């Protein structure tokens, strides 16, 4: 039995018609004879969607009891027992009611797929886990119900259900999505044209990326090397020079001319040690391309044009942007250059743009980090000049009628020796000198074609030629090596300066440094290994790159020890010994960065402990005074009543008993707040969300304040709210008691409620002294009392508990100024029946049944 196939209808926003499209697809399959059932579909009281359910077999839902309410969820066991060919499962991101088989509905779907049942499901783009922050920045609403992107990406088919913002708003206005009383609020908030346009763009781009991934997979499986220009992908070739910024900006402008354009900046480093570009400049260009929406890539390859073209074809790029060469005119004798080679070999399906810039023909300068070793190709060319040059020169001079003389012939051969030294170093130059002296003796020194030399002057001339050739070759080779060594030291100093500055400023973490060393030396992976002692096993403290980290430093291609119990391990190739100096600096700085991060974590933990100590100190102060005060009153009243030498009148006894009751109430309130704060800080508050009217909860919250001190304005037309009644009552009670405490004696506190979109606001208004803007957040911290609050007026937990309970119910609590003076507490709650997407709720229950 194979795994079932998953088809997902992806929507840009609620109401675009995902469920409708899924049900229409089910009817088409049923007409074709497919065994298709409805495992779970939510029609949201939309007549047209509900009508499509007729004619489809529906699996009975499972009923669950949770905190006094009855909810229904998909019955996975019933669907597995029924074993249909296709099951319809709506709302893939839904959170199941506690007590269900799985926590999330997408996990239920995974079980059905594993059992070989095909599933058709729906999900909105805002419910994808990776887009939570983006959607919140667009709509202002944090999505609580999410599904991992990988679950959706693994779907066998994804169909985008799209609708223009104007058409969706018309559907909303016609009452096809929400009830008429919610339409105006929805249109003016979540369903604004800007929000819908941005969500639609997110959906289109996400689907386009997935289509692109399938296209790349198809091209790889079918070995398609030709470029398919499905959308503009522009590769920018960077050399690490200052012209790179100009090229990046030009490529971004080209990408903006077409929809969905993508920019990929590529730096090709040679594999012979340190890179030949300034690390600072490359870091600046990486930041620039990422800020402009592109990506930066680091490729290792000795043949720069071939590596660049291979990357472009692998990425299915359509254009390449290169800068005009910085080489001087005479340097073109060494070859056509990267730009010309790429343009020649690009083929008809890849456009190449050569962009001019301020650095054209100014020279590339010395390589920033080549090292003292010459490249393989330079040595090859050196030997070619040393061996082939004298032979060709001899052939040329043998067929020239003009007699140049032995001195001029020697100068020509000496020129080839100098050229061999410049290109290939000392060994090719010495070979050129030896071969040149033999050819001069055989072909140009009388007697010709014999080894012997008749004239002693010619013998002396040949000896001088050999000595001069060797001397010149040695000097030229030494100068070239010193130049490369100086360039290498300069590159090393730049890298080390950047490294030290970044670490000292705290801008570079261990992973950043490991990525830098991996890119600098062109390695496959870099890891930082550590152990506690000489006998303990090695553990990986951080790694970057491809492949697993080596188990021991000895298993890596390059390992650099850092102290006794830490090592930097690199895999990819063996590096020469001269590179270990820079590697040692990288390793030491990586260890410093790792220690800094651990110290920062320790500091954060110490800060948390200090905050805990502060709270405990405040708690002790509260217990020592605020709790003892009512206890003292109770003790005095009880002692008076028990006294035998005083005859108390009924009025006195009633007053003493009232004092005892008042003190006990104060103790109960203080202890309740302390316990509530403890529950909030330990995360053990689990609200029981159900639908209830505000006028059933708010009046009960006023029992702790004097009668006649509060005006209540709760309209009967308000929608029900989805809250925990107990938590809401405690929150409102704390707010009202705080407002009464600070209100003038002749002023009454107003508690009013109103509806706004899919939220309900409860406002507690007082005419007290108010709170400055700078202190409006501080008053919600534990053990905070503002202004001249008298001792015994509480421990400063009421507002902290009220906000904690509000957030536990997916609500908010903020402080605002009361017009004309005073403070207004605004408690915002989710209205019952609000869509979970826009409202950001965790679980959307049905109406409670009894």
């Amino acid at each position: 039995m194979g795994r079932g196939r998953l088809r997902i209808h992806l929507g840009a926003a609620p109401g675009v018609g995902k469920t409708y499209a899924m049900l229409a697809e089910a009817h088409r399959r049923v007409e074709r004879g497919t065994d298709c059932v409805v495992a779970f579909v939510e029609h949201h009281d939309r007549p047209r969607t509900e009508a499509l359910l007729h004619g489809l077999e529906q699996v009975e839902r499972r009923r669950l009891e949770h905190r006094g309410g009855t909810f229904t969820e998909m019955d996975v066991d019933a669907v597995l027992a029924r074993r249909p060919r296709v099951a319809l499962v709506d709302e893939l991101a839904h959170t199941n009611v506690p007590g269900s088989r799985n926590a999330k509905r997408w996990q239920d779907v995974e079980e059905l797929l594993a059992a070989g049942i095909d599933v058709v499901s729906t999900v909105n783009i805002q419910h994808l886990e990776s887009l939570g922050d983006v959607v919140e920045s667009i709509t202002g609403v944090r999505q609580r119900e999410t599904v991992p992107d990988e679950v959706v990406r693994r779907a066998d088919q994804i169909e985008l259900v799209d609708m223009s913002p104007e058409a969706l708003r018309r559907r909303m206005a016609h009452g096809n999505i929400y009830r008429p009383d919610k339409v105006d609020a929805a249109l003016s908030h979540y369903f604004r044209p800007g929000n819908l346009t941005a969500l639609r763009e997110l959906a289109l781009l996400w689907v386009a990326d997935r289509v692109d991934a399938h296209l790349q997979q198809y091209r790889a499986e079918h070995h398609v090397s030709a470029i398919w220009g499905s959308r503009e992908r522009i590769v920018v070739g960077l050399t690490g020079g200052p012209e790179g910024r100009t090229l990046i900006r030009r490529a971004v402008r080209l990408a903006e001319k077409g929809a969905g354009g993508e920019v990929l900046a590529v730096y090709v480093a040679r594999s012979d040690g340190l890179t030949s570009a300034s690390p600072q400049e490359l870091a600046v260009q990486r930041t620039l391309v990422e800020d402009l929406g592109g990506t930066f890539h680091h490729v290792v390859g000795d043949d720069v044009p071939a590596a660049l073209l291979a990357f472009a074809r692998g990425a299915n790029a359509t254009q390449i942007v290169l800068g005009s060469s910085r080489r001087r005119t005479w340097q073109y004798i060494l070859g056509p250059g990267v730009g010309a080679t790429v343009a020649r070999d690009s083929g008809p399906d890849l456009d190449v743009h050569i962009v001019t810039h301020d650095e054209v023909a100014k020279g590339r300068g010395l390589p920033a980090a080549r090292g003292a070793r010459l490249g393989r190709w330079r040595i090859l060319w050196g030997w070619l000049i040393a061996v082939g040059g004298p032979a060709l020169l001899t052939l040329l001079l043998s067929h020239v009628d003009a007699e140049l003389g032995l001195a001029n012939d020697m100068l020509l051969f000496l020129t080839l020796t100098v050229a061999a030294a410049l290109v290939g170093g000392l060994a090719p130059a010495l070979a050129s000198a030896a071969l040149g002296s033999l050819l001069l003796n055989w072909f140009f020194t009388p007697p010709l074609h014999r080894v012997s030399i008749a004239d002693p002057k010619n013998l002396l001339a040949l000896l001088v030629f050999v000595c001069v050739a060797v001397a010149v070759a040695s000097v030229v080779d030494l100068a070239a090596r010193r130049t490369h060594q100086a360039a290498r030291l300069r590159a090393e100093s730049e890298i080390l300066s950047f490294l030290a500055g970044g670490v000292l400023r705290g801008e570079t973490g261990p992973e950043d440094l490991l990525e830098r060393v991996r890119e600098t030396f062109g390695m496959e992976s870099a890891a930082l290994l550590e152990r506690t002692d000489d006998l303990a096993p090695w553990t990986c403290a951080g790694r970057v790159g491809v492949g697993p980290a080596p188990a021991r430093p000895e298993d890596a291609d390059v390992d650099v020890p850092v102290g006794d119990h830490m090592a930097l391990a690199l895999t990819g190739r063996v590096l020469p010994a001269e590179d270990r100096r820079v590697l040692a600096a990288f390793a030491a700085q990586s260890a410093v960065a790792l220690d800094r991060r651990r110290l920062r974590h320790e500091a954060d933990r110490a800060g948390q402990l200090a905050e805990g100590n502060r709270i405990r100190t405040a708690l002790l102060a509260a217990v020592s005074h605020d709790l003892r005060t009512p206890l003292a009153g109770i003790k005095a009243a009880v002692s008076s009543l028990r006294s035998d030498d005083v005859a108390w009148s009924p009025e006195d006894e009633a007053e003493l008993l009232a004092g005892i009751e008042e003190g006990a109430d104060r103790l109960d309130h203080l202890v309740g707040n302390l316990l509530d704060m403890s529950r909030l800080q330990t995360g053990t508050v689990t609200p029981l969300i159900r639908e209830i009217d505000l006028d059933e909860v708010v009046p009960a919250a006023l029992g702790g304040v004097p009668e006649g001190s509060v005006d209540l304005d709760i309209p009967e037309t308000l929608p029900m709210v989805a809250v925990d009644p107990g938590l809401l009552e405690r929150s409102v009670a704390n707010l009202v008691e705080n407002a009464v405490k600070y209100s003038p004696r002749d002023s009454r506190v107003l508690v009013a409620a109103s509806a706004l979109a899919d939220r309900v606001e409860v406002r507690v208004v007082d005419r007290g002294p108010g709170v400055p803007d700078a202190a409006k957040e501080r008053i919600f911290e534990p053990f905070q009392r503002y202004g001249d609050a008298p001792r015994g007026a509480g421990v400063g937990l009421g507002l902290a508990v009220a906000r904690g309970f509000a957030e536990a119910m997916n609500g908010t609590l903020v402080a605002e100024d009361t017009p004309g003076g005073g403070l207004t507490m605004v408690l915002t709650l989710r209205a019952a029946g609000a869509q979970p997407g826009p409202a950001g709720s965790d679980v959307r229950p049905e109406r409670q049944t009894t």
Side-chain angles (χ1 to χ4, degrees):
M1 177 183 63
R3 179 180 172 85
R5 297 176 60 83
L6 175 61
R7 177 188 178 100
I8 292 179
H9 293 267
L10 178 67
V16 295
K18 305 179 302 301
T19 305
Y20 190 94
M22 178 180 66
L23 293 174
E25 172 69 17
H27 279 284
R28 287 192 293 271
R29 297 195 181 200
V30 170
E31 291 174 358
R32 294 195 299 266
T34 304
D35 182 16
C36 182
V37 302
V38 176
F40 190 98
V41 168
E42 193 68 65
H43 56 74
H44 301 294
D45 296 326
R46 297 169 186 168
R48 297 186 179 181
T49 305
E50 186 176 6
L52 281 178
L53 285 171
H54 299 305
L56 297 176
E57 179 185 349
Q58 301 186 44
V59 177
E60 185 176 354
R61 301 182 185 183
R62 181 185 178 189
R63 292 187 173 273
L64 297 170
E65 299 290 336
H66 180 62
R67 294 187 175 179
T70 301
F71 309 98
T72 62
E73 293 288 359
M74 180 174 67
D75 192 338
V76 179
D77 292 327
V79 178
L80 292 175
R82 171 62 175 76
R83 295 200 60 80
R85 184 69 187 90
V86 179
L88 306 184
V89 182
D90 204 6
E91 298 180 356
L92 188 63
H94 172 76
T95 301
N96 292 331
V97 173
S100 300
R101 184 189 187 96
N102 296 301
K104 303 287 287 188
R105 185 165 292 164
W106 64 264
Q107 296 171 325
D108 297 337
V109 169
E110 287 293 323
E111 286 197 38
L112 300 183
L113 294 173
I117 300 174
D118 293 348
V119 176
V120 182
S121 187
T122 65
V123 70
N124 280 330
I125 191 67
Q126 65 263 31
H127 293 298
L128 295 182
E129 200 168 75
S130 65
L131 300 179
D133 294 338
V134 179
V135 173
E136 183 178 11
S137 66
I138 294 171
T139 64
V141 176
R142 182 67 180 181
Q143 301 299 322
R144 305 293 181 183
E145 291 188 326
T146 59
V147 58
D149 289 42
E150 185 59 29
V151 174
V152 183
R153 289 185 182 278
R154 287 200 306 263
D156 299 279
Q157 298 180 55
I158 294 181
E159 179 179 336
L160 178 64
V161 183
D162 188 27
M163 181 177 291
S164 68
E166 294 78 10
L168 182 56
R169 285 171 60 84
R170 282 196 300 270
R171 288 194 63 194
M172 175 74 70
H174 293 159
N176 294 331
I177 301 177
Y178 292 160
R179 296 195 303 268
D181 59 330
K182 294 180 175 292
V183 170
D184 291 340
L187 290 176
S188 60
H189 290 83
Y190 193 85
F191 287 84
R192 293 195 300 268
N195 288 1
L196 297 178
T197 302
L199 292 174
R200 186 187 190 196
E201 182 181 22
L202 277 179
L204 291 171
L205 291 176
W206 195 91
V207 174
D209 287 340
R210 187 180 185 279
V211 171
D212 186 65
H214 277 288
L215 178 61
Q216 296 289 359
Q217 180 181 357
Y218 178 86
R219 284 164 49 85
E221 292 174 352
H222 292 79
H223 307 289
V224 178
S225 58
I227 293 175
W228 292 354
S230 54
R231 65 168 169 167
E232 292 296 335
R233 269 195 187 84
I234 303 175
V235 171
V236 185
L238 302 178
T239 64
E243 77 281 358
R245 308 180 199 182
T246 302
L247 303 183
I248 291 171
R249 293 188 178 96
R250 179 59 183 273
V252 170
R253 290 197 298 271
L254 288 174
E256 289 175 348
K257 292 181 179 179
E262 185 179 355
V263 175
L264 301 89
V266 181
Y267 172 69
V268 180
R270 300 184 184 275
S271 61
D272 56 353
L274 294 171
T275 59
S276 59
S278 168
Q280 294 96 322
E281 184 62 32
L282 276 181
V284 171
Q285 294 176 14
R286 176 197 289 267
T287 303
L288 176 62
V289 71
E290 290 175 350
D291 289 344
L292 295 176
T295 56
F296 184 91
H297 303 269
H298 193 283
V299 177
V300 177
D302 292 322
D303 190 341
V304 175
L308 191 61
L309 287 171
F311 177 86
R313 292 193 172 97
N316 200 29
T318 57
Q319 303 180 54
I320 296 180
V321 174
L322 300 173
S324 297
S325 178
R326 286 186 286 148
R327 297 193 301 174
R328 301 186 187 278
T329 304
W330 64 268
Q331 291 178 307
Y332 281 96
I333 64 175
L334 302 177
V338 174
T341 305
V342 170
R344 182 192 64 201
D345 299 338
S346 62
D349 52 358
L350 189 58
D351 297 335
V352 179
H353 302 267
I354 305 296
V355 179
T356 58
H357 50 84
D358 295 336
E359 303 296 323
V360 174
K362 291 185 178 180
R364 297 180 60 88
L366 294 174
R370 280 294 309 273
R373 296 171 288 108
L374 297 175
R376 181 176 57 186
W377 286 103
R378 284 194 59 174
I379 295 176
L380 181 62
W381 276 102
W383 280 104
L384 185 61
I385 294 174
V387 176
L392 291 176
L393 180 60
T394 300
L395 182 63
L396 178 64
L397 294 178
S398 300
H399 290 79
V400 174
D401 295 335
E403 184 63 32
L404 298 180
L406 183 60
N408 290 328
D409 294 338
M410 288 183 177
L411 289 176
L412 292 174
F413 278 95
L414 184 62
T415 301
L416 289 176
T417 301
V418 173
L422 287 172
V423 176
L426 182 60
L430 295 177
S432 176
L435 181 60
S437 63
L438 291 175
L439 293 176
L440 283 171
N441 181 19
W442 185 267
F443 289 100
F444 303 104
T445 304
L448 302 179
H449 307 302
R450 297 181 63 181
V451 179
S452 60
I453 301 175
D455 190 349
K457 296 180 180 179
N458 292 336
L459 177 61
L460 179 62
L462 283 176
L463 291 176
V464 170
F465 166 78
V466 173
C467 293
V468 171
V470 172
V472 169
S474 300
V475 171
V476 171
D477 177 72
L478 181 62
R481 290 181 180 273
R482 291 291 183 265
T483 299
H484 287 303
Q485 289 173 356
R488 180 186 183 87
L489 292 175
R490 175 172 173 267
E492 289 181 0
S493 65
E494 289 179 353
I495 294 173
L496 295 177
S497 174
F498 169 79
L499 189 62
V503 172
L504 290 175
R505 292 189 299 270
E507 299 173 352
T508 306
E511 288 75 15
D512 299 325
L513 290 173
L514 292 176
E515 180 64 25
R516 170 70 65 183
V517 71
R518 188 191 69 80
E519 290 187 352
T520 299
F521 292 93
M523 306 299 285
E524 293 179 357
S525 67
L528 198 61
L529 306 179
E530 64 175 350
R531 58 182 178 181
T532 55
D533 54 61
D534 294 336
L535 300 179
W538 291 92
T539 59
C540 182
R543 66 169 302 278
V544 295
V546 297
R552 302 176 303 165
E554 296 81 6
D555 299 335
D557 295 317
V558 179
D559 68 284
V560 180
V562 187
D564 296 332
H565 302 130
M566 186 174 290
L568 175 66
L570 305 176
T571 59
R573 60 191 178 89
V574 178
L575 294 179
E578 55 264 31
D579 288 342
R580 297 185 68 87
R581 179 172 52 191
V582 176
L583 280 174
F586 269 109
Q589 295 289 19
S590 299
V592 170
L594 181 62
D595 290 339
R596 175 181 279 108
R597 183 170 67 181
R598 289 173 175 172
L599 289 174
R600 187 164 53 247
H601 290 166
E602 291 293 333
D604 294 340
R605 188 165 61 180
Q608 295 174 356
L609 292 176
E611 177 65 16
N613 288 334
R614 185 188 70 82
I615 292 177
R616 280 193 292 272
T617 301
L619 177 60
L620 289 174
V623 170
S624 64
H625 186 280
D626 295 296
L627 295 183
R628 291 179 63 185
T629 299
L631 280 174
I634 294 173
K635 175 67 174 177
V638 171
S639 298
S640 299
L641 289 173
R642 290 172 57 89
S643 176
D644 297 332
D645 56 351
V646 178
W648 300 101
S649 65
E651 293 79 7
D652 293 335
E653 290 183 358
E655 184 177 351
L656 289 173
L657 290 174
I660 294 174
E661 184 178 13
E662 181 182 354
D665 289 340
R666 286 179 58 188
L667 279 177
D668 179 68
H669 180 72
L670 292 174
V671 172
N673 275 337
L674 290 172
L675 294 176
D676 290 340
M677 198 66 231
S678 174
R679 292 168 57 204
L680 288 171
Q681 290 184 338
T682 57
T684 57
V685 175
T686 305
L688 170 58
I689 304 298
R690 63 187 183 91
E691 299 176 0
I692 195 170
D693 288 318
L694 279 179
D695 55 10
E696 297 181 27
V697 179
V698 175
L702 308 182
V705 297
E707 187 175 353
S709 60
V710 178
D711 289 334
L712 198 58
D713 182 14
I714 308 293
E716 296 181 356
T717 57
L718 284 179
M720 302 176 74
V721 290
V723 296
D724 183 311
L727 298 185
L728 177 60
E729 181 179 341
R730 290 299 301 274
S731 297
V732 175
N734 285 353
L735 295 178
V736 173
E737 290 174 9
N738 183 78
V740 171
K741 182 193 311 178
Y742 288 97
S743 293
R745 292 183 179 276
D746 57 347
S747 177
R748 296 159 69 94
V749 172
L750 173 63
V751 179
S754 60
L756 178 65
D758 54 358
R759 316 291 281 182
V760 174
E761 289 186 351
V762 179
R763 308 177 77 89
V764 180
V765 184
D766 68 60
R767 293 294 179 178
V771 176
D773 291 339
K776 281 188 172 61
E777 282 299 314
R778 194 166 63 250
I779 61 176
F780 291 104
E781 297 177 4
F783 303 105
Q784 295 291 325
R785 287 185 290 189
Y786 177 71
D788 300 327
R791 301 297 297 178
V795 294
L797 287 176
L799 295 183
V801 170
R803 170 173 277 190
F805 284 171
E807 293 176 348
M809 296 182 294
N810 194 28
T812 59
L813 176 61
V814 296
E816 298 178 355
D817 291 328
T818 301
L823 188 68
T824 298
M825 292 291 178
V826 183
L827 175 61
T828 306
L829 306 168
R830 180 169 63 89
Q835 291 293 321
S841 62
D842 291 326
V843 180
R844 190 193 65 257
E846 296 183 348
R847 291 290 296 228
Q848 183 180 1
T849 60
T850 58

